[in-house]
């Protein structure tokens, strides 16, 4: 059986844990292109996260101290054609987003995670649509004032813009693969979580266009990669906002979880919407989107 | 934590509590202080958690000359020598370029990569300024440092028309180095100019516009052109006169042509670009001129390489063997 290490990368509250929980639910239901023929040994972590979704809540922010074995999902999956030769062992550890932010801001990353990036079979980078934690690029007025202040003047004390953090995460990924001397082609999925928050026009334009418009530095960077294949997905794990949308929250239990949520992606030049939450991982492990 | 130990090797007071000389406990003159471990069982065990080994991830700051050389060995990079006295607008131009890219506002070009992305970000936020302790030389290795270091900023852009990507390396230097060049002909740290594909000579447009200051500004500008010319010798590269503060006006044509003529007389191929890094005007947009400058820098001819197999002059020969040459 082939082992596939998948790494989830993203800052705090970008949706990694909720997606992992929803992925687990989708694999278990067996409705998607990827399915799990048997239940894995240790499902404590994903079950705890899934409990929240089943109860009509998003899983809370991942524990700061989380970086222990067992935090994540290890599961055998296969494609729905049932061919044994397509069974892969997925290992998807979860980690607090602060770790990735620390990697960018302080260049601190444990050898465990550097090795994980270097040997990864696939990577998912998470960005959250319209997150209050997203930091915009500097605007012209503020930049001009800062320059005019000159030496001794105050500097702007805000975090790095989200697109700069994302570019740096890509740089760290490339560094890890060079260190590991890993020349195998890598599939990198860009997941835009909370896709349901977008207006119709933005949603219809698709996730790649969303990145082009909202994160132009990252968009340019992703077009310049060598040895890395990129695909874009818009993801809504439950199809609505369980925090801010009270009506949606009240009606949530009218449908089972496996009828909730969707993935937006581009195939054959069109933006498609699929209820199959396993799609991003399926693509990352080698399934073509045209097979979805 | 300290304890007492007997200096006499035969005494076992530490273990038994009984002094070899019969002195009361703690009162023997041979007792000396020693460090006592908190727990004898932890001898040899670390008392602090081991610091996490540095990941080795290189910082995304101004590249040292070593890293810049490595990058140039991997791909072709246009080295753009950017010089100008303090407050001429070099930093503002860099920030303006970066903001245009960050907001996808650079008309014909888009961002592709930067090995010094954090440096650009921090310079824009005012986090890195030239303070009292100016660097004396270009940094050799990229390093984490609180202060701004003199190094190379890397930028890779993509042309929106032909889709081609190209790389710039631009040294980020304090303006005082230019003053030293003018006043003391100090060239020891400007060796990169000889490898540059083009030179941007940044001049404060406000100084050229204002009546009281323009003669001095023009004089200093010409001096700088002469210094650079003398330093480069025969190997001239395209020179861009980047006149900043376009938002408050364009200096008199006579002033600009005076500077251009000085540069042309020295053998430079000269281009003039008027730049408004920021704008106090309603009719001039911030960043105006940046795209023109990028286009010029990208298309300026690189240093001509010597012909690999140059034609030699034809010699008249009696031998017919040589007569085959240049036959159609």
């Amino acid at each position: 059986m082939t082992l596939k290490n998948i790494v989830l990368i993203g800052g705090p509250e970008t949706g990694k844990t909720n997606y992992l929980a929803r992925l687990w639910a989708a694999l278990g239901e067996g409705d998607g292109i990827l399915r799990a023929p048997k239940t894995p040994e240790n499902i404590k972590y994903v079950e705890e996260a899934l409990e929240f979704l089943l109860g009509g809540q998003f899983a809370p922010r991942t524990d700061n101290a989380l970086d222990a074995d067992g935090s994540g999902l290890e599961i055998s999956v296969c494609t729905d054609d049932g061919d044994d030769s397509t069974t892969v062992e997925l290992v998807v550890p979860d980690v607090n987003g602060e770790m990735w932010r620390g990697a960018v801001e302080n260049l601190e990353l444990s050898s465990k995670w550097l090795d994980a990036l270097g040997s990864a079979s696939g990577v998912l980078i998470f960005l959250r649509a319209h997150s209050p934690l997203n930091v915009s690029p500097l605007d012209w007025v503020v930049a001009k004032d800062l320059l005019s202040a000159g030496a001794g003047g105050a500097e702007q004390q805000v975090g790095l813009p989200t697109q700069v953090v994302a570019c740096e995460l890509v740089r760290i990924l490339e560094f890890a693969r060079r260190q590991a001397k890993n020349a195998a082609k890598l599939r990198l999925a860009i997941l835009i979580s909370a896709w349901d928050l977008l207006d119709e026009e933005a949603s219809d334009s698709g996730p790649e266009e969303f990145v082009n418009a909202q994160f132009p530095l990252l968009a340019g960077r992703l077009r310049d990669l060598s040895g890395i294949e990129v695909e874009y997905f818009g993801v809504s794990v439950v199809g609505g906002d369980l925090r801010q949308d009270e009506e949606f929250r009240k009606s949530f239990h009218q449908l089972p979880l496996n009828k909730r949520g969707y993935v937006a992606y581009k195939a054959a030049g069109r933006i498609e919407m699929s209820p199959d939450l396993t799609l991003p991982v399926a693509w990352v492990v080698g399934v073509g989107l045209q097979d979805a | 934590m300290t304890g007492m130990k007997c200096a006499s090797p035969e005494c076992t007071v530490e273990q038994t509590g009984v002094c070899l000389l019969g002195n009361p406990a703690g009162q023997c003159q041979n007792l000396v202080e020693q460090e006592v471990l908190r727990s004898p069982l932890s001898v040899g065990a670390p008392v602090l958690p081991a610091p996490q080994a540095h990941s080795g991830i290189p910082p995304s700051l101004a590249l040292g000359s070593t890293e810049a050389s490595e990058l140039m060995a991997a791909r072709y990079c246009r080295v753009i020598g950017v010089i100008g006295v303090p407050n001429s607008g070099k930093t503002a131009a860099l920030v303006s370029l970066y903001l245009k890219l960050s907001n996808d506002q650079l008309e014909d070009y888009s961002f592709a990569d930067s090995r010094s992305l954090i440096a650009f970000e921090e310079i824009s936020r005012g986090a890195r300024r030239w303070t009292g302790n100016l660097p004396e030389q270009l940094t050799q290795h990229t390093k984490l440092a609180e202060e701004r270091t003199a190094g190379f900023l890397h930028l890779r852009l993509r042309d929106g028309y032909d889709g081609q990507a190209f790389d710039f390396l631009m040294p980020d230097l304090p303006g005082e180095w230019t003053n030293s060049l003018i006043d003391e002909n100090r060239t020891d740290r400007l060796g990169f100019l000889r490898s540059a594909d083009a030179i941007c000579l940044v001049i404060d447009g406000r100084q050229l516009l204002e009546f009281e200051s323009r003669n001095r500004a023009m004089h200093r500008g010409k001096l700088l052109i002469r210094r650079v010319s003398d330093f480069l010798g025969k190997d001239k590269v395209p020179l861009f006169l980047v006149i900043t503060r376009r938002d408050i006006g364009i200096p008199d044509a006579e002033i600009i042509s005076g500077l251009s003529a000085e540069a042309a007389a020295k053998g430079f191929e000269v281009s003039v670009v008027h730049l408004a890094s920021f704008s106090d005007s309603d009719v001039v947009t911030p960043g105006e001129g940046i795209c023109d400058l990028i286009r010029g820098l990208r298309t300026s001819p690189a240093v001509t390489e010597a012909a690999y197999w140059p034609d030699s002059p034809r010699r008249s020969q009696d031998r017919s063997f040589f007569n085959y040459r240049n036959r159609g």
Side-chain angles (χ1 to χ4, degrees), chain A:
Chain A
M1 192 190 307
T2 313
L3 182 69
K4 301 263 187 183
N5 295 308
I6 311 293
V7 179
L8 310 182
I9 301 179
E13 297 199 37
T14 49
K16 300 183 295 299
T17 303
N18 281 289
Y19 176 72
L20 195 58
R22 187 67 184 84
L23 172 70
W24 158 234
L27 290 170
E29 288 291 332
D31 295 336
I33 197 167
L34 278 187
R35 54 187 58 187
K38 59 178 183 175
T39 305
E41 291 291 312
N42 190 346
I43 55 173
K44 184 168 187 286
Y45 180 80
V46 285
E47 275 292 303
E48 284 175 354
L50 185 57
E51 278 289 307
F52 287 95
L53 289 182
L54 290 168
Q57 299 176 63
F58 287 127
R61 196 162 172 166
T62 309
D63 187 342
N64 267 347
L66 176 67
D67 189 14
D69 291 334
S71 57
L73 180 63
E74 289 188 29
I75 189 169
S76 297
V77 298
C78 59
T79 53
D80 58 4
D81 62 13
D83 181 354
D84 281 343
S85 67
T86 62
T87 303
V88 298
E89 182 75 12
L90 278 189
V91 179
V92 193
D94 195 14
V95 70
N96 180 275
E98 295 289 345
M99 185 195 80
W100 295 118
R101 189 154 72 182
V104 169
E105 291 178 356
N106 308 313
L107 303 178
E108 286 173 0
L109 190 64
S110 68
S111 53
K112 168 188 163 183
W113 282 100
L114 213 52
D115 290 343
L117 284 179
S119 62
S121 309
V123 172
L124 283 71
I125 290 185
F126 285 76
L127 298 161
R128 191 168 131 207
H130 301 320
S131 167
L133 297 182
N134 285 346
V135 179
S136 300
L138 200 59
D139 72 55
W140 288 93
V141 173
V142 174
K144 181 166 171 284
D145 289 343
L146 288 169
L147 267 178
S148 301
E155 60 180 86
Q156 196 187 40
Q157 299 288 347
V158 295
L160 291 172
T162 298
Q163 62 177 347
V164 171
V165 172
C167 285
E168 287 293 285
L169 287 171
V170 171
R171 186 176 74 89
I172 290 170
L173 171 62
E174 289 182 305
F175 169 78
R177 296 187 76 73
R178 281 198 303 274
Q179 290 293 97
K181 295 184 172 50
N182 188 347
K185 191 132 183 158
L186 174 75
R187 281 193 163 184
L188 170 62
I190 307 297
L191 260 74
I192 311 297
S193 62
W195 190 251
D196 49 272
L197 293 181
L198 267 56
D199 59 44
E200 194 175 335
E201 188 181 345
S203 180
D204 289 346
S205 298
E208 183 175 0
E209 203 43 53
F210 178 81
V211 174
N212 289 342
Q214 299 293 320
F215 309 114
L217 291 186
L218 176 63
R221 187 72 190 90
L222 292 173
R223 284 192 288 271
D224 195 55
L225 295 177
S226 171
I228 300 178
E229 195 180 342
V230 181
E231 192 54 77
Y232 300 82
F233 299 90
V235 174
S236 175
V237 293
V238 294
D241 188 351
L242 288 168
R243 283 198 189 110
Q244 305 291 335
D245 190 341
E246 195 174 333
E247 278 198 34
F248 177 76
R249 199 168 50 245
K250 283 181 184 167
S251 66
F252 179 73
H253 294 293
Q254 291 173 8
L255 287 174
L257 183 63
N258 67 330
K259 300 290 184 200
R260 296 278 189 192
Y262 55 85
V263 174
Y265 64 99
K266 193 170 187 177
R270 286 203 328 259
I271 304 300
E272 303 282 352
M273 304 286 258
S274 166
D276 183 1
L277 273 295
T278 71
L279 261 182
V281 174
W283 178 80
V284 150
V285 300
V287 177
L289 290 179
Q290 67 278 6
D291 300 323

Side-chain angles (χ1 to χ4, degrees), chain B residues 9 39 52 222 241:
Chain B
S39 164
Q52 187 177 30
K222 286 184 178 179
L241 295 176

